[in-house]
């Protein structure tokens, strides 16, 4: 605390002198005196005042040598604040660095404080808090006046929802007939690799919750029935707000992600999917483009031959093509890089397109042979 144990200062003396004849004058019990060391209170019966003294309706504190104290003092484990004139502070008090609250006995308060129907929080040093505060049980937000906020609150960067008790909410909340989602953990990670701090209202986000995908619009509301664009992905939304299908668009390419797979990562050039016992990573524009479908099939078969039986069907405009077929030079295409499966049939589609040629598709049907 900035002014703990501080002796009377020249500034305090100047203030006292500025008061001139209005300096505190005791009743019949004594009178104020001043010397080069400071102010003291001469008792009518002789001697001087020490410790706590009530004089003319105000309380003061005098050192054992009799000099009036100012600033912060500690007595019996409690903190008190004495103004420049020496008067003990009660209620709200500004000490030059922050606001503090003192009860009717002058004791500095800590923790939650209710005043005039509003809640304030006083830190361990007693200073009134503003902004975000952790009280040991949850996060709370206090405005620039120290007043605890409730409901929707903007902290200058993000929207948050604070319950009736002021505690910051996380997860799903229903407000005004609409569902919103507030980030659940510190630096929660999302499918596009971005993160959000706990409590932040999410918007323009695809989130995963208990095995389902949901889309949150630009106003943060969960969206139902319709479509939404999420980076290079086009989402189809069901009536309950869940995502029913995902199309991956990169330029002229479109790949529909297989049903029954849960996205782990949806980035512009990489898509990772997970099923109960399988995982697949699909690439757009991989570094090395295969020369033809036959070679691509041979490479994939060699990679997986110790575990899988691989069947490839080549289509052109939806019609099966037999024999070797060169893949045209192209800027964009999809390729499955890694597949693991145990006991179930999987179909992954790779598609190559060229502006001057019809699209070629390779459908890979893979089943576990072990």
């Amino acid at each position: 605390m900035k002014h703990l144990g501080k002796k009377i200062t020249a500034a305090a003396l100047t203030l006292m002198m500025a008061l001139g004849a209005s300096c505190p004058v005791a009743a019949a019990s004594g009178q104020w005196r001043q010397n080069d060391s400071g102010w003291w209170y001469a008792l009518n019966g002789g001697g001087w005042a020490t410790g706590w003294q009530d004089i003319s309706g105000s309380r003061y504190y005098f050192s054992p040598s009799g000099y009036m104290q100012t600033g912060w003092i500690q007595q019996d484990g409690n903190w008190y604040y004495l103004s420049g004139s020496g008067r003990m502070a009660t209620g709200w008090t500004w000490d030059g660095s922050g606001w503090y609250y003192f009860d009717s006995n002058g004791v500095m308060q800590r923790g939650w404080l209710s005043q005039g129907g509003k809640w304030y929080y006083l830190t361990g040093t007693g200073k009134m808090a503003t902004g975000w505060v952790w009280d040991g049980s949850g996060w709370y937000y206090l405005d620039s006046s120290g007043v605890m906020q409730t409901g929707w609150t903007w902290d200058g960067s993000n929207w948050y929802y604070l319950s009736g008790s002021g505690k910051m909410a996380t997860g799903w909340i229903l407000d005004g007939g609409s569902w919103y989602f507030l980030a659940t953990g510190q630096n929660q990670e999302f499918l596009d690799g971005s993160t959000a701090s706990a409590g932040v209202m999410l918007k323009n986000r695809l989130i995963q919750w208990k095995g389902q995908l949901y889309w949150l619009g630009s106003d943060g509301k969960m969206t139902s029935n319709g479509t939404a664009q999420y980076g290079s992905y086009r989402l189809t939304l069901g009536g309950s707000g869940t995502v029913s299908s995902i199309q991956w668009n990169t330029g002229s390419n479109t790949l529909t992600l297989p049903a029954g797979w849960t996205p782990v990562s949806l980035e512009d050039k990489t898509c990772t999917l997970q099923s109960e016992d399988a995982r697949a990573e699909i690439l757009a524009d991989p570094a090395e483009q295969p020369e033809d479908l036959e070679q691509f099939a041979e490479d994939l078969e060699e990679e997986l031959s110790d575990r899988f039986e691989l069947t490839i069907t080549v289509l052109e405009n939806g019609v099966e093509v037999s024999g070797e077929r060169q893949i045209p030079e192209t800027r964009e295409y999809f390729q499955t890089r890694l597949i693991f499966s145990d006991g179930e049939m999987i179909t992954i589609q790779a598609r190559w397109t060229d502006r001057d040629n019809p699209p070629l598709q390779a459908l890979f049907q893979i089943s576990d042979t072990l």
Side-chain angles (χ1 to χ4, degrees), residues 228-291:
Q229 194 68 35
Y230 178 65
S232 57
Y233 299 87
R234 185 171 179 81
L235 314 175
T236 301
L237 310 172
S240 62
T242 57
V243 176
S244 58
S245 68
I246 303 177
Q247 285 187 327
W248 189 9
N249 302 288
T250 61
S252 58
N253 267 358
T254 298
L255 176 67
T256 299
L257 302 186
W261 290 71
T262 301
V264 176
S265 173
L266 296 179
E267 300 183 15
D268 283 343
K269 297 298 181 180
T270 306
C271 171
T272 304
L273 308 176
Q274 181 75 50
S275 70
E276 184 176 351
D277 55 1
R279 187 180 182 94
E281 185 174 285
I282 306 173
L283 304 180
D285 292 337
E288 296 183 4
Q289 178 175 327
E291 294 182 358

Side-chain angles (χ1 to χ4, degrees), residues 4 64 85 147 158 230 266 275 329 339 342 346:
L4 300 186
S85 65
V147 177
N158 296 290
Y230 178 65
L266 296 179
S275 70
E329 289 294 329
I339 304 173
D342 294 304
I346 305 170

Side-chain angles (χ1 to χ4, degrees), residues 52-66:
W52 290 110
Q53 298 290 334
D54 289 326
I55 302 173
S56 301
S58 297
R59 182 164 293 182
Y60 300 82
Y61 186 79
F62 299 87
S63 70
S65 58

Side-chain angles (χ1 to χ4, degrees), residues 27-327:
S29 58
Q31 57 184 335
W32 286 97
R33 297 285 180 86
Q34 183 186 26
N35 60 24
D36 292 340
S37 298
W39 288 92
W40 52 286
Y41 192 73
L43 299 175
N44 288 341
W48 53 81
T50 59
W52 290 110
Q53 298 290 334
D54 289 326
I55 302 173
S56 301
S58 297
R59 182 164 293 182
Y60 300 82
Y61 186 79
F62 299 87
S63 70
S65 58
Y67 288 103
M68 182 193 77
Q69 304 295 287
T70 62
W72 288 98
I73 65 169
Q74 187 179 33
Q75 291 289 315
D76 300 324
N78 295 318
W79 285 100
Y80 302 82
Y81 186 75
L82 308 171
S83 69
S85 65
R87 292 184 179 90
M88 182 191 76
T90 59
W92 286 110
T93 298
W94 174 263
D95 79 334
S97 66
W99 286 100
Y100 297 79
Y101 189 85
F102 302 86
D103 67 13
S104 58
N105 294 316
V107 177
M108 183 195 76
Q109 303 298 288
R110 297 181 177 93
W112 287 106
L113 172 71
S114 178
Q115 285 288 306
K118 299 176 180 179
W119 283 96
Y120 302 82
Y121 188 78
L122 307 171
T123 67
T125 65
K127 184 179 290 187
M128 183 192 77
T130 60
W132 287 106
V133 167
W134 174 263
D135 77 338
S137 66
W139 286 100
Y140 299 79
Y141 189 78
L142 310 153
D143 68 13
S144 59
S145 299
V147 177
M148 183 195 78
Q149 303 297 289
T150 60
W152 286 109
T153 298
W154 174 258
D155 75 342
S157 301
N158 296 290
W159 283 101
Y160 298 82
Y161 188 82
L162 309 173
S163 67
S165 68
K167 185 178 291 188
M168 182 188 76
T170 60
W172 289 107
I173 64 164
L174 179 63
D175 181 62
S178 297
W179 285 98
Y180 300 82
F181 190 84
L182 310 167
T184 56
Q186 194 67 22
N187 294 325
Q188 180 180 358
E189 187 170 355
F190 300 95
L191 295 173
D192 62 356
S194 62
T195 60
S197 298
V200 172
M201 185 199 78
L202 303 179
K203 58 183 180 179
N204 293 322
R205 296 267 194 166
L206 182 65
I207 65 165
Q208 199 167 48
W209 182 261
K210 296 185 177 179
Q212 298 290 338
L213 294 173
Y214 299 86
W215 174 251
L216 306 169
S218 59
D219 56 1
K221 296 178 181 178
M222 183 190 75
T223 306
S224 304
N225 295 320
T227 60
Q229 194 68 35
Y230 178 65
S232 57
Y233 299 87
R234 185 171 179 81
L235 314 175
T236 301
L237 310 172
S240 62
T242 57
V243 176
S244 58
S245 68
I246 303 177
Q247 285 187 327
W248 189 9
N249 302 288
T250 61
S252 58
N253 267 358
T254 298
L255 176 67
T256 299
L257 302 186
W261 290 71
T262 301
V264 176
S265 173
L266 296 179
E267 300 183 15
D268 283 343
K269 297 298 181 180
T270 306
C271 171
T272 304
L273 308 176
Q274 181 75 50
S275 70
E276 184 176 351
D277 55 1
R279 187 180 182 94
E281 185 174 285
I282 306 173
L283 304 180
D285 292 337
E288 296 183 4
Q289 178 175 327
E291 294 182 358
D292 57 56
L293 290 175
E294 185 176 15
Q295 183 62 49
F296 179 67
E298 290 178 3
D299 293 343
L300 188 59
E301 184 175 8
E302 181 179 353
E303 181 182 348
L304 302 174
S305 60
D306 59 339
R307 291 190 60 197
F308 298 104
E309 177 183 346
L310 176 65
T311 304
I312 297 182
T313 304
V314 181
L315 304 177
E316 183 174 5
N317 283 342
V319 179
E320 184 174 347
V321 177
S322 60
E324 182 177 328
R325 173 63 191 265
Q326 294 292 315
I327 300 176

